[in-house]
């Protein structure tokens, strides 16, 4: 079976195939600098400490099947490639982008023969496993359960959303973390110095190093790619110093890590709403910017703002819903990029507004009572009375018209008998609800006929 190539790390072929070609000198810097052994891996110390499952697997010890979950450029494929050197295991690599159930069954048949005839276990690496359909993921269950293969799966998406539960329960989920700034710096300095990297042909200024670290955002591949582009630009001018200007010329901007179908979508939206709820307009604008730069549908953002206006601001600022609806209408009428201004205005408005969740708690409590059977008969005097025979049923008899009394409020029962005195709306003392709180006390006393 031929080795797979994910475009960055060419995975070694199994021992029954010709040896893989050495890394070419003109290969991308990120390929040339990939770790050749565990000691060269930067980051993920929590997974590679002595006794950790991944380290045991890499050292040839017994281990469970694992799922490597983490952002791009954190070493998922690199770690899997290093497993190819572990003897006496046989290593097979598949990509979910190009493999189906047939390929999986072929691997399983080959793994069974190798186990029975050679007493040799197969390590199966599947990149982008979240792209497998449910049927394809289900095809792995038996082999993983019986340890016919040790599965090493990799995904950039939260497995809770992208991997079926039966398979997930059979895997040890290991979460890789974005590299820390010091770890990215170590990679950059190593790449500048080592012969397989830039071999000292250029020097990297401290300011340029800071810029590359910031742009990489914890992604090793991104850091090395940006460094190589910057170094190439410097070489074209005959200079040997990579400075901030060289980085800016080579790298137009940083890629925002955000997948509209994955957990980054949920995480950023969650942080956006919680920042507004927490009254931090600066953080809210940051997350709004991340969504907009990543290409999130502005209509989705507008809908979230409309919901949030009632859920977390409510009547503490009655204008909040108006601002959110106006932003949503602006998105529909004008579109991007101008609509970003209305979205930003609404975001700041909601973040700085006084907060109250009494609207959502009130309606949710009322609906919970209805679902629990607390409905009761509608008082007869409130029922519709404009049809033949209504009066004979007592409908609308005794209803008192509020506008006929001074102040427009009078004593009268409105809820069913079982719900008299049940308070659903309980205004806070925040913002405009402070005024509503005092007014509601007076209204309830008048309507219920309570003594003042």
């Amino acid at each position: 079976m031929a080795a797979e190539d994910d475009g960055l790390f060419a995975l070694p072929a199994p021992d029954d195939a010709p040896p893989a070609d050495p890394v070419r000198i003109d290969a991308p810097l990120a390929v040339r600098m990939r770790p050749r052994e565990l000691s060269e891996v930067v980051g993920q110390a929590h997974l590679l400490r002595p006794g950790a499952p991944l380290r045991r697997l890499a050292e040839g010890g017994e281990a469970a099947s694992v799922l490597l979950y983490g952002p791009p450029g954190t070493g998922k494929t690199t770690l899997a490639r290093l497993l190819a050197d572990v003897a006496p295991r046989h290593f097979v690599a598949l990509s979910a982008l190009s493999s189906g159930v047939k390929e999986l069954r072929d691997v399983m048949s080959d793994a069974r023969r190798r186990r029975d005839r050679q007493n040799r276990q197969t390590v199966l690496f599947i990149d982008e496993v979240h792209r497998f359909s449910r049927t394809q993921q289900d095809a792995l269950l038996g082999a993983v359960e019986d340890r016919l293969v040790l599965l090493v799966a990799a995904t950039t998406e939260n497995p809770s959303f992208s991997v079926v539960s039966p398979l997930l329960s059979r895997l040890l989920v290991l979460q890789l973390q974005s590299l820390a700034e010091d770890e990215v710096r170590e990679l950059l300095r190593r790449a500048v110095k080592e012969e397989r990297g830039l071999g000292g042909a250029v020097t990297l200024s401290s300011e340029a190093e800071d810029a590359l670290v910031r742009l990489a955002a914890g992604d090793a591949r991104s850091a090395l790619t940006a460094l190589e582009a910057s170094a190439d630009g410097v070489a074209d001018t005959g200079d040997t110093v990579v400075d901030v200007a060289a980085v800016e010329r080579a790298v137009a901007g940083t890629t925002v890590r955000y997948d509209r179908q994955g957990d980054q979508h949920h995480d950023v939206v969650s942080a956006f709403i919680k920042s507004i709820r927490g009254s931090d307009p600066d953080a809210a604008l940051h997350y709004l910017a991340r969504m907009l730069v990543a290409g999130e549908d502005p209509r989705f953002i507008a809908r979230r703002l409309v919901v949030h206006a009632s859920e977390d601001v409510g009547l503490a600022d009655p204008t909040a819903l108006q601002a959110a609806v106006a932003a949503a209408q602006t998105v529909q009428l004008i579109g991007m990029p101008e609509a970003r201004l209305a979205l930003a205005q609404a975001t700041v408005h909601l973040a700085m507004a006084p907060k109250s969740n009494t609207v959502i708690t009130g309606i949710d409590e009322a609906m919970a009572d209805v679902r629990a059977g607390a409905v009761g008969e509608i008082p007869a005097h409130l029922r519709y009375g404009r049809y033949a025979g209504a009066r004979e049923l007592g409908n609308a008899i005794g209803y008192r018209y509020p506008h006929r009394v001074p102040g427009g409020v009078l004593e009268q029962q409105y809820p069913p008998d079982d719900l008299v005195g049940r308070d659903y709306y309980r205004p806070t003392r925040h913002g405009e609800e402070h005024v509503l709180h005092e007014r509601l006390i007076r209204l309830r006393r008048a309507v219920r006929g309570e003594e003042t």
Side-chain angles (χ1 to χ4, degrees), residues 105-253:
R105 288 174 178 166
D106 290 342
V107 170
M108 302 311 170
S109 297
D110 183 65
R112 185 172 290 104
R113 287 193 299 269
R114 183 169 281 101
R115 180 195 62 184
D116 296 342
R117 297 178 184 178
Q118 303 176 14
N119 194 29
R120 192 177 182 197
Q121 193 172 38
T122 297
V123 175
L124 172 60
F125 172 66
I126 299 180
D127 198 15
E128 305 282 349
V129 70
H130 61 272
R131 296 183 181 273
F132 266 170
S133 67
R134 182 181 183 90
T135 300
Q136 291 169 314
Q137 293 186 32
D138 286 343
L140 294 165
L141 295 178
V144 173
E145 178 75 24
D146 299 337
R147 286 201 175 180
L148 174 61
V149 297
L150 281 182
L151 176 63
V152 180
T155 178
T156 56
E157 297 193 4
N158 191 324
S160 298
F161 298 114
S162 58
V163 178
V164 297
S165 297
L167 180 58
L168 193 60
S169 67
R170 291 166 169 81
L171 300 175
L172 181 62
V173 178
L174 304 177
Q175 184 170 4
L176 280 71
Q177 300 170 354
S178 295
L179 272 63
E181 289 190 357
D182 288 345
E183 293 167 342
V184 176
R185 291 182 195 279
E186 180 181 345
L187 285 176
L188 291 171
R189 292 171 184 177
R190 184 187 298 178
V192 169
K193 180 180 179 180
E194 293 188 7
E195 286 300 322
R196 59 178 172 148
L198 301 179
V202 297
T203 57
L204 184 63
S205 73
S206 59
E207 294 81 5
E209 183 180 278
D210 290 341
L212 290 171
V213 169
R214 185 180 67 255
L215 290 171
D219 185 328
R221 182 187 290 107
S222 176
L224 294 174
T225 301
L227 171 61
E228 183 175 31
S230 302
D232 288 345
V234 165
D236 289 343
T237 65
D239 202 351
T240 60
V241 178
V242 175
D243 55 15
V244 173
V247 174
E248 291 176 344
R249 288 194 299 269
V251 183

Side-chain angles (χ1 to χ4, degrees), residues 57-74:
L57 179 60
E59 293 176 344
E62 291 297 327
S65 292
V66 298
L67 188 149
L68 304 178
Y69 153 52
T74 53

Side-chain angles (χ1 to χ4, degrees), residues 38 156 250 411 424:
L38 279 180
T156 56
E411 178 183 351
Y424 291 116

